[in-house]
Amino acid sequence: MNIAISLLNPWVRHDDPSEFANPRTFGFDAFYCVPGEDGAHEKGGVEHAGGRCRRAHLVPVPEVATLEELNAKIAEIDAAEDERILAGRLTTVGFNFFTEAAQLTPLPFEEFECGITLTPKVDRSSRITVRQCHYSVPARFIGQNVRALLRDNELLVFERREIVARHPRLTRRGDFRDELDHYLEILLVKPGSMAGSTALVTARQNGSFTEVHEAFWAAARAAHGDAAGTRALIEVLLLHRRMPATAVEQGMAAAIRAGATSADMVAVEARSAAALAPPPSEDLDDEDDPPPWAEPSGVVSLTARRAQLSEDTRPLPDVAHYDQLLTRQPKGTA
């Protein structure tokens, strides 16, 4: 995607003071150049420096997939500029800035919010539309207006002061991004929609729906059928809201090794894993390493254990003495 970068000229005067939220508080002050010959070179010098940087680093226009990639590229440009030596100088730009940093005004304690606040309405697909792009929100907000904060690289959705959705900002018209967690309550009622949902595709792409999830889902469907098995998976996915993702994945792996496909079993094992120190993370993408559910664990299969026990020759228990409890005694007798 092609992204053009525009640099804000700090010397341009803004006649409307409402464009700044208490600008002096955040270290911004708009003013004209120094009048007379002393300031005649200021505006031209700033524009020339901006043009030189654009021609040196941004021609042709960088092609990046995300804003994070663009920011990383700009950070590399900044590092390269710090090593540049101006004509007629003996030290680098970075060294000169370091020596002058003590004369700068201290940074304000308050954080300057550069985003804009919007109040879009959640449609029946549990999405909001912001700048012709679509983002999912939790299904409980369908039909309501929510408060969204649009920043340069992300979108935040709030319920009062709590963040209920966070998305990277989309840049192409008509793009959409769905989070699987936002649709779990709907999928619990309609499990057949799980396999073909765009939210599942996104979860697989960003790695939140791991190989362990896939294995548990396959085992649950084999044991209970498609609908019931998918519901079991969704109940496990709901555990992510209150438990660490690593603990839930370890709980699923333990349940698979024990031959269980119950969400309750996963919850018990996940709590045990969360109580212990987390083990070193395993790289599930390494083909040489066996999947975690194939490795031995503290969970013992009762079926396999029974086959290892010696034959029990004890007589069967006798419950004849309890038969007298089946006879109803007449009233008044002890």
Side-chain angles (χ1 to χ4, degrees), residues 191-205:
S193 303
M194 175 77 169
S197 64
T198 57
L200 179 59
V201 175
T202 302
R204 283 169 170 164
Q205 291 175 346

Side-chain angles (χ1 to χ4, degrees), residues 288-303:
D288 296 333
D289 295 335
W293 55 89
E295 299 177 1
S297 69
V299 180
V300 179
S301 172
L302 296 181
T303 303

Side-chain angles (χ1 to χ4, degrees), residues 88-299:
R89 302 292 180 88
L90 300 177
T91 54
T92 64
V93 172
F95 179 83
N96 293 336
F97 176 80
F98 176 78
T99 58
E100 297 177 0
Q103 304 179 28
L104 299 177
T105 303
L107 293 175
F109 294 102
E110 300 178 52
E111 182 179 355
F112 182 75
E113 180 54 69
C114 299
I116 59 174
T117 301
L118 306 168
T119 55
K121 187 174 182 179
V122 183
D123 61 20
R124 63 181 182 178
S125 299
S126 194
R127 291 174 177 171
I128 58 175
T129 301
V130 177
R131 298 292 175 87
Q132 299 180 336
C133 296
H134 312 287
Y135 306 86
S136 69
V137 299
R140 67 179 183 272
F141 296 109
I142 291 178
Q144 303 179 27
N145 288 84
V146 294
R147 180 168 62 92
L149 179 62
L150 181 64
R151 293 175 173 170
D152 59 342
N153 59 352
E154 65 178 351
L155 175 77
L156 306 179
V157 181
F158 293 87
E159 182 183 19
R160 296 182 177 89
R161 295 186 178 182
E162 180 184 359
I163 298 177
V164 296
R166 183 191 296 269
H167 295 280
R169 181 171 177 176
L170 304 176
T171 56
R172 287 190 290 264
R173 177 180 179 180
D175 276 1
F176 63 89
R177 190 175 190 276
D178 296 332
E179 286 287 344
L180 183 58
D181 181 73
H182 297 162
Y183 296 95
L184 293 182
E185 288 81 2
I186 297 176
L187 294 174
L188 198 59
V189 179
K190 298 181 178 181
S193 303
M194 175 77 169
S197 64
T198 57
L200 179 59
V201 175
T202 302
R204 283 169 170 164
Q205 291 175 346
N206 61 29
S208 59
F209 197 84
T210 64
E211 188 178 351
V212 184
H213 292 87
E214 298 280 8
F216 182 86
W217 191 14
R221 285 187 293 181
H224 308 295
D226 289 344
T230 301
R231 287 193 180 96
L233 171 68
I234 295 172
E235 291 176 357
V236 170
L237 293 175
L238 289 170
L239 295 175
H240 283 285
R241 295 182 178 179
R242 60 180 186 272
M243 304 182 70
T246 303
V248 176
E249 292 171 11
Q250 292 176 355
M252 285 188 292
I256 294 172
R257 289 192 293 265
T261 54
S262 168
D264 294 336
M265 176 70 173
V266 174
V268 170
E269 293 299 328
R271 292 190 187 97
S272 299
L276 302 175
S281 60
E282 299 175 351
D283 188 1
L284 298 180
D285 295 330
D286 191 351
E287 298 180 355
D288 296 333
D289 295 335
W293 55 89
E295 299 177 1
S297 69
V299 180

Side-chain angles (χ1 to χ4, degrees), residues 1-15:
M1 119 179 121
N2 294 330
I3 298 180
I5 304 173
S6 62
L7 302 177
L8 176 63
N9 190 340
W11 306 103
V12 175
R13 177 181 178 183
H14 294 268
D15 294 325

